[in-house]
Amino acid sequence: MAASLGRICRTTSLLKPSSGPIYSQVNNFTTTKEWSKGRKLLTACLGVTAGGIGALLFSLDRSVRAIEIVAHAPHYHWPWTGLFQSLDHASMRRGWEVYKNVCSACHSLEYVAYRHLVGVTHTEAEAKALAAEIEVRDGPDDQGNYFMRPGKLSDHIPSPYPNEEAARAANNGAYPPDLSYIVNARHGGEDYVFSLLTGYCDPPAGIVLREGQNFNPYFPGGAIGMAQVIYDEVLEFEDGTPPVASQVAKDVCAFLMWTSNHEYDDRQVLAIKTIGIGSLLCALLFYLKRFKFSHVKNTKLAFIPKKK
Amino acid sequence: MKTNKNYKSLIYHYIFKRTSTFILAVVVTSVFFERTYDHLCEAIFERINRGRLWRHIKHKYENNGDEDGFSMPSADDAAAD
């Protein structure tokens, strides 16, 4: 602090050797003494500017962001919120049902394969049965022809549209995004997805929607091509959970959280391991530091001149 | 005190004295330590998340699978053993 003050004000009185042994050492070691006045001034200005811009950016980021016309999703307490909490696999299994019965009409899930479901939401036999329900174009065979075959575990979830243009043409020009990584790809993540699914309402006065558009305050711009699809009892869960709208939305969020973060549970285990080993090493290092410094701190140097 | 000293000198004589035995001791200890530590952490994780993981709910869905011989040892099974 004293050094930077001296640099700015060009008062070297603080650094004078007469100020004591510590300051005299600083004075000896510092290399800024030889700097020209202009260079010192420039350095100081640069430091102040960088700090100021950083503080400004930080405060802007902390502000309420009232300039955007979009409702920010509130933070919900999910089963996986927390340092050591795993995903809720029963919820993910229901979420897969929701995707299959509701979302898959328009949204693809092209980066998830049936084999990914094995040991996560379904047993291997169940996943094989699910995969066998679809038809996959494969080939070429011996004759060079392409043919259709039942799906296998290694096949990916089929997309509802063959390409983006077909998807846009079928949905008034709006493209239903792929849901594989949607939780990681949107600000707010699962909170945003949940709020979007359950947040449909009538447009306020002054908002004009075009044909085929719906109003959702959580969608940037407000006008969303997707209509409300999550209602109470939109489907029946196989485990008998009451399919109210918030339950359906929560389960599909749990499922999409997993499709975006396949390694989530491993990460939580790793957190336990890392914190455990880290605290062990911390204690060891603390002891080692005390051990090594005990010599330094107890050493007394004495200069005893020879008696004449 | 005497036994303690013998114990220490034995360790020194057979392990720390030679680099070869010392390295061997490090390797063997780390293998066992890592196994134990991993199992411990998995146990803590399962305790915190009881009822939420796949291995806690899979018995509900597995009945048909076993008859067909589909019970492939997955990574979860290996970790649970």
Side-chain angles (χ1 to χ4, degrees):
Chain A
M1 192 63 202
S4 40
L5 269 181
R7 224 170 285 158
I8 294 165
C9 310
R10 204 172 169 73
T11 49
T12 48
S13 59
L14 282 171
L15 302 177
K16 272 185 180 158
S18 59
S19 305
I22 297 169
Y23 284 132
S24 93
Q25 277 186 356
V26 172
N27 207 16
N28 287 338
F29 293 142
T30 182
T31 52
T32 52
K33 263 199 309 182
E34 290 88 28
W35 287 11
S36 67
K37 192 178 180 182
R39 190 175 171 188
K40 283 179 187 175
L41 200 66
L42 185 70
T43 315
C45 286
L46 274 179
V48 169
T49 316
I53 290 176
L56 182 70
L57 286 179
F58 181 73
S59 61
L60 282 179
D61 192 55
R62 298 264 93 184
S63 69
V64 292
R65 296 185 199 152
I67 200 166
E68 307 161 27
I69 310 176
V70 62
H72 292 280
H75 182 69
Y76 295 104
H77 187 83
W78 298 95
W80 56 87
T81 307
L83 209 49
F84 309 130
Q85 309 299 318
S86 76
L87 295 170
D88 188 344
H89 287 246
S91 180
M92 281 152 54
R93 191 180 164 97
R94 293 193 295 271
W96 158 257
E97 285 180 62
V98 178
Y99 169 76
K100 200 182 165 212
N101 292 316
V102 182
C103 316
S104 65
C106 300
H107 289 277
S108 57
L109 198 66
E110 57 182 294
Y111 296 106
V112 177
Y114 287 100
R115 64 187 165 82
H116 292 144
L117 302 175
V118 177
V120 177
T121 57
H122 292 76
T123 63
E124 190 179 351
E126 285 173 326
K128 276 184 176 168
L130 282 174
E133 288 173 11
I134 63 162
E135 289 265 291
V136 183
R137 187 166 178 265
D138 201 355
D141 62 5
D142 299 344
Q143 317 298 323
N145 299 318
Y146 285 84
F147 58 93
M148 302 301 280
R149 62 160 172 80
K152 293 188 287 192
L153 275 187
S154 55
D155 287 316
H156 283 238
I157 313 281
S159 303
Y161 304 107
N163 49 53
E164 185 180 335
E165 285 72 17
R168 281 190 190 282
N171 290 289
N172 280 326
Y175 175 52
D178 184 78
L179 293 184
S180 308
Y181 293 103
I182 201 78
V183 165
N184 287 357
R186 293 288 178 274
H187 285 292
E190 60 271 33
D191 293 323
Y192 166 78
V193 176
F194 182 84
S195 300
L196 190 83
L197 289 175
T198 55
Y200 282 89
C201 60
D202 291 331
I207 300 262
V208 183
L209 297 174
R210 282 183 291 145
E211 182 65 29
Q213 285 191 327
N214 301 278
F215 183 75
N216 193 316
Y218 295 100
F219 190 71
I224 185 170
M226 177 175 132
Q228 182 173 3
V229 287
I230 304 287
Y231 295 99
D232 287 348
E233 316 201 341
V234 70
L235 79 164
E236 289 271 319
F237 286 128
E238 62 166 12
D239 61 359
T241 308
V244 293
S246 55
Q247 177 76 43
V248 173
K250 177 223 157 191
D251 288 339
V252 81
C253 284
F255 179 67
L256 293 177
M257 178 69 187
W258 168 74
T259 60
S260 299
N261 304 282
H262 285 239
E263 79 299 345
Y264 192 83
D265 289 351
D266 294 336
R267 264 178 17 216
Q268 305 301 82
V269 178
L270 203 59
I272 298 177
K273 288 182 188 172
T274 312
I275 288 172
I277 286 282
S279 43
L280 209 69
L281 287 181
C282 217
L284 201 71
L285 282 176
F286 182 71
Y287 170 76
L288 199 68
K289 186 257 165 191
R290 301 277 301 227
F291 181 74
K292 294 284 182 192
F293 265 66
S294 65
H295 282 288
V296 179
K297 289 193 170 178
N298 287 307
T299 305
K300 286 182 184 173
L301 297 177
F303 173 63
I304 303 166
K306 268 184 189 170
K307 285 173 187 167
K308 284 178 186 174
Chain B
M1 194 63 208
K2 185 107 197 304
T3 52
N4 193 16
K5 200 179 175 186
N6 280 343
Y7 176 64
K8 276 183 180 171
S9 72
L10 270 179
I11 289 186
Y12 173 74
H13 191 74
Y14 285 109
I15 295 174
F16 293 131
K17 196 174 176 183
R18 266 179 273 169
T19 308
S20 56
T21 51
F22 182 54
I23 296 290
L24 189 72
V26 167
V27 170
V28 169
T29 322
S30 55
V31 166
F32 282 103
F33 175 75
E34 191 175 356
R35 287 289 289 168
T36 322
Y37 187 71
D38 282 358
H39 277 261
L40 187 76
C41 289
E42 290 275 344
I44 294 171
F45 182 69
E46 289 206 20
R47 197 180 172 78
I48 294 173
N49 298 297
R50 180 153 303 282
R52 286 212 294 243
L53 297 170
W54 172 246
R55 66 192 75 136
H56 299 145
I57 61 167
K58 69 176 175 184
H59 62 271
K60 294 184 204 164
Y61 310 106
E62 244 175 4
N63 312 327
N64 331 343
D66 285 343
E67 287 160 20
D68 300 341
F70 273 132
S71 57
M72 185 188 75
S74 64
D76 293 348
D77 290 334
D81 286 345

